[in-house]
Each structure stands twice: as C-alpha cells, then as structure tokens.
Amino acid sequence: MNKKKMNVRKFVLIGMMSSMAFVLMFIKFPLPTFPPFLTLDFSDLPALVTALILGPVAGILVELIKNLLDYIVHNSEIGIPVGNLANFIAGVAFILPAYFIYNKLKSKLGMVLGLISSALVMSIALSFFNYFVLLPVYIKFIGWDSMTSAEMRAYVISLILPFNLIKGAIVSALFLLVFTKMKGWITKQAQYRKVA
C-alpha cells in the first residue's frame, strides 16, 4: 500500500471511529448509588480499537475529536469544557496502558493485564483531576456547597474512585468481548500500518 493510500486510510478510519465514539457518548447512564452526574458510556472502545490499529496518537485523536464534537453540540453548563477535559483525560488514561501492555505481550493475557492497568490508571488519574480541578471548578461556577480539602478527599475516595473502578471494569469487560471477536481483523488492519 503506497503512502498516499495509507494516509487516506488513516484519516478515514480516525474519522469513522471518532464519529462512532461521539455517537456512543449519547448512550450514557448513571450507576445505582452514585451521583447522577457520574455516568457510564462506552465511547472509549472505538478509540482503543483505533490505537491498536494505527498507534496511540490515532487513539488520542479519536478521544480529542469526539470530545470536541460533544462540546460543540452540547456545550457545557458552566461555559468551559471541563467535563469534556475530564472525559479526554479518562479516555487517554484508559487506552494507553492497554495499548502498550498488549503490544509488549501480544496475547490475550497481555490484553487482560493491559485493561486491568487501564482501569486502575484511569481511576487514579480522574481522582486527582476531580480533587484538583473538577470539584473546585464546580464549587466555584455551579454553586456547589464549598468543601474543605478533607471533605473533597473523602468525596473522591468514597464516590469518584469507586465509580471509575467500576466503570473501568465494565468497559474493560466489554472491550475484551469485542477484542475476542475482532482480534483477527484488528491484527490484520495493524499489519497494513507496519508494512506501509
């Protein structure tokens, strides 16, 4: 495959996967016992598939494009895309560990270990983001009751961290099912990138 065709193929795949991820952002729902603003969606799945085929930068681009589209369509209740930034950080933190560990081990076990790592890294990254950025912004701009540092820590540990661990586990389990069915196709598509 010549370089021009390869570039067109990359752009088409990134565009398709970004559109799919954007549509999947519409299908979101809260988990019982957690605040309704913490929602589960499956929009990271196309980004991870893209990363496995075209590399991590392409996966990150899918995460970026889907969040830009979501912000353009839905805007933000506070005018700045802090929720989309959180989603972007979560997505990148989810796809990178799975990508790198799977590419190192090249096995189903490698994917399982990668997804476990992804769930943990994403949960930790979002805990810090919520503590240092998201909660203070919501307190300031939305009028949430102010919290002390200790109260924010307790909020993150009791709600944010467990929610993201559960979300990471559910998304990982679903991706593993997708990967099991699509492994041959994903591997074949990734080979085109290597020979181009």
Side-chain angles (χ1 to χ4, degrees), residues 10 12 25-26 34 38 61 83-85 94 115 121 137 143 165:
K10 280 183 183 178
V12 169
M25 288 184 85
F26 283 86
F34 290 99
L38 293 174
L61 270 175
N84 292 105
L85 181 58
F94 184 77
L115 290 168
V121 169
V137 166
L165 286 170

Side-chain angles (χ1 to χ4, degrees), residues 3 10-11 14 18 25 38 94 100 121 134 144 152 166 193:
K3 192 164 184 177
K10 280 183 183 178
F11 288 131
I14 289 169
S18 299
M25 288 184 85
L38 293 174
F94 184 77
F100 285 113
V121 169
L134 203 57
W144 282 14
M152 279 201 292
I166 294 168
R193 173 173 62 101

Side-chain angles (χ1 to χ4, degrees), residues 8-28:
V8 170
R9 182 178 162 275
K10 280 183 183 178
F11 288 131
V12 169
L13 187 61
I14 289 169
M16 283 173 45
M17 290 299 192
S18 299
S19 300
M20 192 182 302
F22 170 60
V23 169
L24 286 173
M25 288 184 85
F26 283 86
I27 308 165
K28 56 187 171 187

Side-chain angles (χ1 to χ4, degrees), residues 39-194:
T39 55
L40 171 65
D41 71 70
F42 303 107
S43 63
D44 295 328
L45 301 181
L48 183 49
V49 170
T50 305
L52 292 171
I53 294 171
L54 297 176
V57 173
I60 292 169
L61 270 175
V62 170
E63 292 288 349
L64 179 64
I65 293 167
K66 74 166 187 182
N67 276 292
L68 286 173
L69 289 172
D70 185 70
Y71 180 63
I72 290 165
V73 170
H74 295 117
N75 207 321
S76 165
E77 56 188 317
I78 58 173
I80 54 174
V82 68
N84 292 105
L85 181 58
N87 187 282
F88 176 73
I89 290 168
V92 171
F94 184 77
I95 65 174
L96 292 184
Y99 169 81
F100 285 113
I101 292 172
Y102 175 73
N103 269 281
K104 186 79 173 167
L105 301 178
K106 292 288 186 190
S107 65
K108 189 170 182 180
L109 175 62
M111 181 53 73
V112 170
L113 293 174
L115 290 168
I116 290 169
S117 301
S118 289
L120 292 172
V121 169
M122 179 191 72
S123 300
I124 292 166
L126 282 180
S127 294
F128 280 102
F129 184 76
N130 271 274
Y131 180 78
F132 288 107
V133 179
L134 203 57
L135 290 176
V137 166
Y138 278 12
I139 288 166
K140 182 172 182 177
F141 289 98
I142 297 185
W144 282 14
D145 293 337
S146 60
M147 298 185 200
T148 64
S149 293
E151 287 171 333
M152 279 201 292
R153 249 192 323 272
Y155 190 86
V156 166
I157 291 167
S158 65
L159 289 172
I160 305 294
L161 182 60
F163 172 83
N164 284 303
L165 286 170
I166 294 168
K167 176 183 174 179
I170 293 171
V171 173
S172 294
L174 184 59
F175 184 81
L176 203 54
L177 289 173
V178 171
F179 181 74
T180 302
K181 297 286 185 188
M182 296 180 63
K183 184 181 178 187
W185 181 81
I186 290 170
T187 304
K188 185 178 178 183
Q189 297 304 311
Q191 290 302 319
Y192 289 133
R193 173 173 62 101
K194 290 173 184 173

